[in-house]
Amino acid sequence: MKTTCISIINYNGNSDTYSCISSIMGDEIFKESTIFILDNHSDFEYVCRLEDYIQDLSDVRQYIGTCEDMLRLTGDYDIVLIKSNQNLGFARGNNFILDLSVTLGYEYSVLINNDTSYEGSSIGTVIHFLDSHLEIGAATLGIEYYWNRGTIWNAGGKIFFGYKKYFSTRYIQNKRKKGFNYIDTQFMSGCFIAVRNKIIEKYGYLSERFFFGEEDYEFSYRMKKNGVKCVSVISETIYHKVNQSMKKIDNLQGRILVYDLNKLIDMKYSMGKVKFAFFRLSYKCIIYLRFLRKGKLSDGYRHIRRLRDLMRNHTCVDANLTFRLWNEGKE
């Protein structure tokens, strides 16, 4: 029985997904893993090309089917392509695979963005690290910019009062020079998370309160609250083509609105009323400063008023609301 389930979400991003699959197939962990790719209702031509790509892979045991077909999935496959008839978003799409991972008896699950690649056995090293450190529940690693290698995009960080402080490139480089292979972290980017399935079973999956974004912070925050030890294996690196998904959303104001609404709703339901009241006040100040730097304070006021109205009427940021805000104001 394979031990590791690797989850990839694809949406009209085939070339990136091919590169990610190729990296994993070159990793020593591949022989112990199943790569699950959930296609999030991409355009028809992209789905066909992805299916053809997987079918053309040599010496690979593969299974291709719909979400409904996965309910009948048995066997020990190398690659499984799941063709969704709707866009499930990041959290719900990964949760579909996580549920399969738990049901089918895998020991570990790895979430990895499709727009990442790497050389060597980065995933294998992280999984073997977890094998030998039973006190650790989940891990991330050093994620560098694909186009600026050597510069850290994300390698974890600290969580404080609803905010996160990332570890800097200098901090990670200093730790590496001192011989640290891993460091404690409170935050793990959804770009890469390796987690024991028993942790998922005990503390839950990704929050589906959000269609796109914030689910990684909520998951990390929940791990911290429950005392789950998480680390960043900084000896290992993957390369991330940052904002590939966001480039498909050309309405900057809509993207910012969704980001801020995600954060406020997350904190509203994660914090107590008094703590959230102070957080909301601090976040409002941050928004005002953001717009003030651009000389658009009146726009900041309208942005905050819009957020206030949305929070009165919504307890989650689902697909319909996300797409509506992304498209708001577009001609």
Side-chain angles (χ1 to χ4, degrees):
M1 172 67 190
K2 293 174 177 284
T3 62
T4 305
C5 161
I6 301 175
S7 175
I8 301 172
I9 305 297
N10 180 72
Y11 177 72
N12 289 344
N14 287 24
S15 60
D16 289 332
T17 299
Y18 301 158
S19 179
C20 185
I21 292 171
S22 178
S23 293
I24 298 168
M25 290 181 66
D27 191 317
E28 63 179 18
I29 198 65
F30 180 58
K31 63 181 180 293
E32 304 171 25
S33 306
T34 302
I35 304 173
F36 286 85
I37 305 125
L38 186 139
D39 184 86
N40 240 340
H41 198 46
S42 297
D43 296 341
F44 180 73
E45 63 187 79
Y46 285 95
V47 180
C48 292
R49 290 173 187 168
L50 181 57
E51 190 169 346
D52 289 343
Y53 171 83
I54 291 173
Q55 289 176 335
D56 288 342
L57 293 172
S58 59
D59 300 321
V60 170
R61 291 166 294 177
Q62 58 195 242
Y63 184 90
I64 298 173
T66 64
C67 291
E68 291 73 22
D69 293 332
M70 296 303 122
L71 300 175
R72 300 183 292 274
L73 183 66
T74 58
D76 211 13
Y77 295 97
D78 299 315
I79 297 181
V80 175
L81 172 61
I82 307 164
K83 299 185 291 184
S84 177
N85 61 6
Q86 61 178 311
N87 191 332
L88 300 175
F90 183 84
R92 192 175 166 201
N94 273 301
N95 280 349
F96 186 90
I97 296 174
L98 289 174
D99 191 51
L100 287 173
S101 179
V102 170
T103 301
L104 294 173
Y106 291 90
E107 186 176 352
Y108 300 104
S109 292
V110 175
L111 312 185
I112 185 168
N113 272 21
N114 74 313
D115 57 354
T116 60
S117 60
Y118 63 97
E119 298 98 26
S121 295
S122 292
I123 296 180
T125 299
V126 172
I127 295 301
H128 295 152
F129 175 86
L130 290 174
D131 267 338
S132 60
H133 293 77
L134 301 181
E135 76 281 7
I136 296 172
T140 187
L141 40 57
I143 306 171
E144 297 182 2
Y145 288 93
Y146 183 88
W147 308 112
N148 188 16
R149 300 191 180 195
T151 301
I152 293 292
W153 173 73
N154 197 301
K158 300 293 185 181
I159 291 174
F160 175 73
F161 196 60
Y163 300 100
K164 50 185 180 280
K165 186 180 187 305
Y166 300 120
F167 297 136
S168 66
T169 298
R170 178 178 294 180
Y171 178 81
I172 297 299
Q173 288 175 342
N174 286 338
K175 288 293 185 180
R176 286 171 173 170
K177 287 177 182 177
K178 292 177 180 178
F180 285 82
N181 291 323
Y182 70 96
I183 55 176
D184 291 346
T185 187
Q186 295 173 341
F187 174 74
M188 299 174 292
S189 167
C191 180
F192 184 95
I193 298 175
V195 59
R196 299 181 191 276
N197 278 356
K198 67 179 183 180
I199 295 295
I200 295 171
E201 291 181 273
K202 186 172 183 178
Y203 299 112
Y205 295 61
L206 298 177
S207 172
E208 295 183 11
R209 193 182 290 277
F210 316 102
F211 177 77
F212 186 89
E214 193 63 22
E215 65 289 308
D216 53 2
Y217 181 91
E218 192 280 337
F219 183 79
S220 299
Y221 188 70
R222 196 170 355 124
M223 295 302 101
K224 180 186 176 185
K225 284 173 60 176
N226 286 288
V228 177
K229 184 175 176 62
C230 302
V231 302
S232 180
V233 183
I234 58 174
S235 62
E236 298 304 313
T237 301
I238 62 173
Y239 306 106
H240 179 30
K241 297 175 183 176
V242 178
N243 288 333
Q244 287 296 96
S245 298
M246 297 306 294
K247 287 178 181 177
K248 299 169 186 174
I249 308 160
D250 56 8
N251 180 8
L252 178 60
Q253 183 56 36
R255 285 162 49 181
I256 294 172
L257 193 58
V258 169
Y259 178 89
D260 288 338
L261 184 60
N262 279 344
K263 173 56 68 177
L264 287 166
I265 286 182
D266 184 10
M267 293 301 98
K268 181 179 180 179
Y269 292 98
S270 297
M271 296 176 166
K273 288 185 178 180
V274 174
K275 190 174 181 180
F276 175 67
F278 282 103
F279 173 82
R280 182 173 56 187
L281 179 61
S282 70
Y283 202 73
K284 185 186 293 186
C285 292
I286 289 171
I287 292 173
Y288 274 130
L289 286 172
R290 185 199 303 160
F291 281 90
L292 182 61
R293 290 192 189 101
K294 299 177 181 178
K296 297 180 178 180
L297 191 57
S298 59
D299 288 347
Y301 172 75
R302 284 191 290 271
H303 184 80
I304 288 172
R305 187 171 58 185
R306 184 82 173 98
L307 286 170
R308 181 193 63 198
D309 293 341
L310 287 166
M311 289 192 65
R312 285 175 177 171
N313 297 310
H314 299 279
T315 59
C316 65
V317 191
D318 61 14
N320 289 334
L321 179 58
T322 298
F323 283 112
R324 177 159 65 85
L325 295 178
W326 278 346
N327 291 315
E328 204 170 81
K330 290 176 64 176
E331 297 182 358

